[in-house]
């Protein structure tokens, strides 16, 4: 029997049982849609996060922080408890290393900024304005006012979103405004509010995204010396190291040298390392999501098998007739497999379409609902748009998987159909 | 005189079924020879083993002992694929028609040709010719459910003729239709035998019907008890 005739016969059999075939296909549609939707959203999310990370990135800088794996800085919950602390003066040790252009400590606390009427929660970052502006020359740039290179202790530079959180003309604070900076000192009992008055000297240009140690729209920046006295500590959260070159060799060599100087009690992170962490985290997430979705597809597969076994009983006589007409066992097998291929093909096609629609609907809901990434700078709600991404791999994978599952679960019933003895099949009532 | 190879020949054919734990001897050594152009009726009451014999001759089942030759080929030496090929040279007509309900008359007649790998145009043309032969050209686009019993059986006969078979194997072809229609069917069968030279083996329990054949073989309890030549 010709391949075309096999398919046309199979298609006729499917058309005869439209509702049943439709429901069987629906199982595949749901499974494939789940896979496509979850993967395209997660890939879209990865693209968004990577883009946003990269927007504040400098490739020739390293971040030194205490403990292992503190890539996302304090507050990420990744800091290992040790007695070791990086101090402001540790920059001197780092500066001696060959390949280091300069380094700069950051003291960081979650604090409050009070303007005349309102209070905002924000990261208060103690930095060296001159060096920070040098390292992040493209993002630590004033939109309004000027960033002083030798700041007075009571100066403060604010991120764009701190100044203009609502985007409706009303500003939380502007250049030359006086603000009160406050943090809750929990090292004393009872915890005590520490405050001082500062003057806004500059509002940063919008950086976009959520930056990694680099300038952020939702942080306020105060001079490092002020931070030392205000927070009462010389311990720093991280030290940013500017390198003389951004090639891999320099990055690796300096990273190793720094770790060695501090007896492996610090971790050194480069921008590329962060990206690779993000990418590996997403790979794991995608695998997990795909796994969950795949389970639903397997359930659909069991449904296909179930339906085919039932339909096999109904069609026993038909198979007997076909065999009496001289049809070979392998052709009977091919007919049943073709039915599964058609179901898989339809299911995968509609599933991919539905998945894509679902992904876009979900992305719109996330974006429109002010979906905030609870990242390090997530205290001020982020503007965060996910555009679902569907890669050819996902497309072809979903397609192949849909058909493969349908076919695999059809093999057993199809094999049983092909093995029916004609004389018994013809006798079947 | 050189004798042509018989279309069907059985040699001491035996078939034993195990029903539950009891062996049932359905055939107890059947010797039968059907020459080309023959019209043979196998007559017997139910349980006489005639259906079992039909299954053997139709290459639908294998004997326990003895041999079946179809066109000189020993059926027991064939594997499943070869048996399938062999069945294409046999035209089956069943008591309950056994048409595929979702295919129309023409589709049903085309089916064996599609199984044989014939192209669409060719088989469509041949199917229409065959339906004309059995007098159903006007109804070829009707599905079995829209046809009467007699019409269905005529479609089944057209289907059986589709691959130009060596012989027609008919199992109670009029068993499920009224007597008037049955007469028409038997007239058609006789015409095919006489005019087209189609070899026919017909199984029936109907004495009246059997008398229409050229030759009658009477069966009882798995054995041939009598052969009547009506020529």
């Amino acid at each position: 029997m010709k391949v075309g005739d096999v398919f046309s016969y199979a298609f006729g059999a499917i058309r005869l049982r439209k509702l049943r075939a439709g429901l069987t296909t629906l199982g595949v549609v749901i499974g494939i849609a789940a896979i496509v939707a979850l993967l395209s959203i997660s890939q879209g999310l990865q693209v968004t996060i990577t883009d946003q990370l990269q927007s504040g990135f400098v490739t020739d800088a390293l971040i030194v922080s205490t403990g292992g794996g503190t890539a996302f800085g304090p507050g990420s919950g990744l800091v290992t408890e040790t007695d070791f602390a990086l101090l402001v003066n540790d920059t001197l040790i780092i500066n001696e290393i060959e390949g280091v252009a300069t380094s700069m400590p950051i003291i960081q606390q979650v604090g409050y900024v009070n303007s005349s009427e309102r209070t905002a929660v924000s990261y208060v970052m103690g930095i060296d304005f001159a060096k920070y502006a040098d390292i992040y020359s493209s993002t630590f740039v004033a939109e309004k006012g000027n960033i002083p290179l030798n700041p007075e202790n009571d100066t403060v530079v604010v991120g764009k979103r701190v100044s203009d959180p609502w985007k409706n003309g009303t500003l939380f604070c502007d250049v030359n405004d006086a603000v009160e900076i406050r943090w809750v000192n929990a090292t004393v009992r009872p915890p005590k509010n520490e405050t001082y008055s500062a003057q806004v000297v500059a509002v940063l240009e919008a950086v976009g995204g959520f930056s990694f140690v680099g300038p952020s729209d939702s942080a306020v920046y105060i001079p490092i010396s002020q931070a030392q006295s205000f927070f009462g500590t010389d311990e720093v959260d991280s030290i940013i190291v500017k390198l003389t070159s951004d090639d891999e060799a320099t990055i690796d060599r300096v990273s190793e040298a720094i770790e060695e100087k501090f007896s492996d009690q610090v971790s050194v992170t480069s921008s590329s390392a962060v990206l690779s962490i993000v990418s590996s985290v997403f790979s794991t997430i995608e695998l997990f999501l795909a796994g969950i979705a795949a389970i639903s597809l397997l359930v659909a597969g069991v449904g296909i098998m179930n339906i085919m076994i039932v339909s096999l009983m109904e069609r026993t006589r038909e198979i007997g007739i076909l065999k009496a007409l001289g049809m070979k066992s392998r052709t009977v097998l091919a007919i049943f497999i073709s039915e599964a291929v058609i179901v898989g093909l339809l299911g995968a096609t509609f599933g991919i379409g539905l998945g894509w629609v679902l992904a876009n609907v979900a992305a719109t809901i996330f974006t429109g609902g002010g979906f905030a990434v609870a990242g390090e700078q997530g205290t001020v709600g982020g503007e965060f748009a996910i555009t679902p991404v569907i890669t050819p791999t996902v497309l072809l994978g979903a397609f192949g998987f849909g058909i493969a599952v349908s076919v695999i679960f059809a093999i057993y019933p199809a094999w049983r159909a092909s093995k029916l003895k004609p004389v018994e099949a013809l006798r079947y009532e | 005189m050189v004798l042509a190879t018989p279309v069907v020949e059985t040699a001491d054919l035996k078939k034993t079924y195990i029903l539950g734990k009891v062996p049932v001897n359905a055939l107890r050594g059947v010797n039968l020879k059907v020459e080309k152009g023959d019209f043979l009726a196998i007559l017997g009451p139910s349980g006489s083993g005639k259906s079992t014999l039909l299954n053997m001759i139709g290459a639908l089942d294998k004997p326990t002992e003895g041999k079946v030759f179809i066109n000189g080929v020993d059926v027991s030496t064939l594997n499943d694929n070869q048996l399938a090929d062999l069945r294409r040279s046999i035209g089956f007509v069943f008591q309950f028609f056994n048409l595929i309900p979702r295919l129309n008359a023409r589709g049903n007649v085309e089916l064996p040709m599609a199984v044989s790998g014939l192209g669409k145009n060719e088989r469509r043309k041949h199917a229409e010719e065959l339906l004309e032969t059995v007098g159903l050209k006007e109804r070829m686009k009707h599905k079995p459910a829209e046809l009467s019993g007699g019409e269905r059986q005529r479609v089944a006969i057209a289907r059986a003729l589709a691959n130009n078979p060596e012989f027609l194997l008919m199992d109670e072809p009029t068993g499920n239709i009224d007597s008037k229609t049955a007469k028409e069917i038997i007239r058609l069968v006789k015409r095919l035998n006489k005019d087209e030279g189609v070899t026919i083996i017909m199984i029936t329990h109907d004495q009246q019907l059997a008398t229409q054949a050229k030759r009658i073989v009477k069966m009882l309890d798995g054995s041939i008890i009598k052969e009547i030549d009506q020529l």
Side-chain angles (χ1 to χ4, degrees):
Chain A
M1 202 163 175
K2 290 180 176 161
V3 177
D5 288 331
V6 168
F7 264 96
S8 125
Y9 192 88
F11 193 68
I14 287 178
R15 269 204 341 206
L16 188 69
R17 300 167 178 86
K18 283 194 197 76
L19 180 64
R20 187 189 293 181
L23 290 174
T24 317
T25 311
L26 187 63
V28 181
V29 170
I30 292 170
I32 293 291
I35 290 179
V36 169
L38 289 173
L39 287 187
S40 62
I41 285 185
S42 111
Q43 291 195 339
L45 190 60
Q46 182 177 4
V47 168
T48 308
I49 288 176
T50 310
D51 280 354
Q52 301 218 356
L53 276 176
Q54 276 172 332
S55 67
F57 260 9
V58 284
T59 51
D60 61 352
L62 296 176
I63 315 303
V64 183
S65 47
T66 50
T70 59
F72 289 93
S76 66
L78 292 170
V79 185
T80 329
E81 289 291 334
T82 62
D83 290 338
F84 177 81
L86 275 172
L87 301 176
V88 173
N89 287 340
D90 286 337
T91 51
L92 299 176
I93 301 172
I94 291 172
N95 287 344
E96 284 168 14
I97 297 168
E98 198 193 328
V100 173
T102 181
S103 66
M104 188 208 83
I106 294 181
I107 298 177
Q108 180 180 331
Q109 273 293 346
V110 176
Y112 302 88
V113 181
N114 298 335
S115 71
S116 47
E117 285 171 8
R118 296 171 194 266
T119 300
V121 183
S122 171
Y123 272 96
V124 181
M125 317 274 282
I127 54 162
D128 181 320
F129 282 17
K131 285 182 179 171
Y132 203 58
D134 175 33
I135 297 170
Y136 294 103
S137 54
S138 64
T139 46
F140 196 62
V141 177
E143 183 187 76
K144 286 189 262 182
N146 283 303
I147 298 170
L149 297 183
N150 288 302
E152 300 289 332
N153 273 348
D154 65 349
T155 51
V156 59
V157 172
V158 303
K160 176 73 179 171
R161 205 145 57 217
V162 175
S163 159
D164 183 13
W166 307 291
K167 292 181 170 170
N168 59 0
T170 309
L171 295 182
F172 175 77
C173 62
D174 204 352
V175 174
N176 294 327
D177 283 359
V179 292
E180 190 182 56
I181 294 175
R182 174 164 65 92
W183 74 291
V184 181
N185 184 353
T187 59
V188 294
R189 289 276 171 253
K192 192 180 153 202
N193 274 318
E194 309 268 7
T195 58
Y196 80 98
S197 286
Q199 196 182 18
V200 178
V201 291
V203 175
L204 294 179
E205 278 180 2
V207 178
F210 54 104
S211 121
F212 146 73
V213 184
S216 158
D217 289 340
S218 47
V220 302
Y221 297 88
I222 62 174
I224 183 78
S225 53
Q226 174 64 19
Q228 280 172 269
S229 64
F230 183 51
F231 297 129
T233 181
D234 280 343
E235 288 184 19
V236 302
D237 293 284
S238 48
I239 293 174
I240 301 176
V241 180
K242 184 178 164 90
L243 305 173
T244 51
S245 154
D246 67 352
D247 62 61
E248 284 281 327
T250 313
I251 291 173
D252 289 350
R253 190 165 43 75
V254 174
S255 299
E256 272 174 37
I258 293 173
E259 279 168 6
E260 201 179 315
K261 291 259 184 195
F262 293 97
S263 317
D264 288 332
Q265 287 182 290
V266 296
S267 71
V268 181
T269 315
S270 64
S271 318
S272 54
V274 172
L275 284 183
S276 81
I277 290 170
V278 168
S279 149
S280 82
V281 165
F282 269 94
S283 300
T284 313
I285 291 174
E286 277 165 22
L287 197 67
F288 177 69
L289 292 178
I292 291 175
I295 290 173
S296 71
L297 197 56
L298 289 184
V299 173
V302 174
I304 290 175
M305 189 151 159
N306 190 11
I307 289 298
M308 284 193 87
I309 288 176
V310 172
S311 124
L312 173 68
M313 288 173 187
E314 288 179 0
R315 290 166 69 184
T316 299
R317 204 182 174 86
E318 175 186 336
I319 294 161
I321 297 168
L322 293 175
K323 288 203 153 185
L325 295 180
M327 188 177 276
K328 292 191 164 80
S329 297
R330 60 165 183 260
T331 313
V332 175
L333 186 85
I335 285 175
F336 274 75
I337 297 283
S338 304
E339 289 180 23
V341 168
I342 293 169
V343 165
L345 210 68
L346 289 174
T349 309
F350 287 112
I352 288 169
L354 180 66
W356 181 242
V357 170
L358 286 179
N360 278 289
V361 168
T364 312
I365 292 170
F366 283 162
T367 309
F371 178 68
V373 167
E376 93 185 273
Q377 319 289 13
T379 37
V380 177
E383 291 154 52
F384 201 80
I386 303 172
T387 311
V389 173
I390 189 159
T391 61
T393 318
V394 168
L395 202 69
L396 289 177
F399 214 74
F401 197 43
I403 295 171
V405 165
S406 312
V407 169
I408 286 169
F409 280 94
I411 286 175
Y412 173 68
W415 175 82
R416 257 182 56 174
S418 76
K419 287 294 153 202
L420 282 174
K421 289 200 162 45
V423 64
E424 283 162 22
L426 278 171
R427 252 205 307 261
Y428 191 88
E429 291 298 328
Chain B
M1 186 174 112
V2 180
L3 281 175
T5 314
V7 177
V8 175
E9 188 173 7
T10 69
D12 200 23
L13 196 61
K14 289 179 184 162
K15 179 71 179 180
T16 308
Y17 292 113
I18 308 291
L19 275 185
K21 281 179 182 169
V22 189
V24 177
N25 297 315
L27 294 178
R28 303 163 187 254
V30 173
N31 291 293
L32 188 71
K33 203 181 269 187
V34 184
E35 304 289 349
K36 196 161 178 56
D38 210 348
F39 182 0
L40 173 74
I42 299 172
L43 180 68
S46 59
S48 61
K50 58 187 194 304
S51 284
T52 308
L53 182 60
L54 173 123
N55 290 337
M56 302 296 151
I57 297 172
L60 293 171
D61 204 355
K62 287 190 173 180
T64 314
E65 261 181 66
K67 296 213 181 283
V68 178
F69 297 92
I70 292 175
N71 253 354
V73 177
D74 181 357
V75 174
S76 64
T77 62
L78 303 181
N79 63 25
D80 269 6
N81 275 339
Q82 291 166 323
L83 283 174
D85 285 335
L86 180 70
R87 273 182 229 125
R88 290 182 198 167
S89 63
I90 303 170
F92 289 93
V93 177
F94 303 95
Q95 179 178 1
F96 297 103
F97 325 124
N98 278 344
L99 299 172
I100 307 287
R102 67 184 159 82
L103 300 178
N104 63 22
R106 187 176 62 191
N108 268 289
V109 180
E110 276 185 49
L111 190 56
M113 296 186 264
V115 169
S116 299
L118 216 65
K120 198 174 177 90
N121 293 333
E122 216 176 330
R123 65 184 194 235
R124 179 150 292 185
K125 188 165 163 276
H126 190 39
E128 287 173 8
E129 287 165 5
L130 287 167
L131 283 167
E132 194 170 8
T133 308
V134 300
L136 273 181
K137 192 159 194 247
E138 307 307 313
R139 320 256 310 151
M140 68 184 180
K141 285 187 181 158
H142 291 257
K143 291 193 173 169
E146 299 156 358
L147 299 172
S148 71
E151 286 172 328
R152 286 183 218 183
Q153 198 59 301
R154 280 192 273 165
V155 173
I157 291 170
R159 180 179 67 182
L161 292 168
N163 279 336
N164 299 319
E166 295 293 337
F167 60 98
L168 285 193
L169 195 52
M170 311 180 108
D171 184 10
E172 306 276 10
T174 59
N176 212 34
I177 45 187
D178 64 85
S179 58
K180 183 170 168 279
T181 319
K183 273 182 191 148
E184 283 171 28
I185 293 291
I186 206 65
R187 209 175 298 137
L188 170 66
V189 171
K190 281 175 86 171
R191 198 187 83 210
L192 287 170
N193 175 250
K194 194 168 169 238
D195 300 348
E196 318 272 335
V198 180
T199 311
I200 290 164
I201 302 171
M202 180 173 73
I203 283 176
T204 182
H205 66 277
D206 181 347
Q207 191 110 30
Q208 202 64 41
L209 184 65
T211 55
Q212 303 294 318
K214 292 178 182 166
R215 206 149 64 89
I216 302 172
V217 165
K218 279 192 175 174
M219 285 189 73
L220 191 67
D221 296 333
S223 305
I224 294 177
I225 51 165
K226 198 174 184 183
E227 284 198 49
I228 307 162
D229 214 331
Q230 302 203 104
L231 287 176

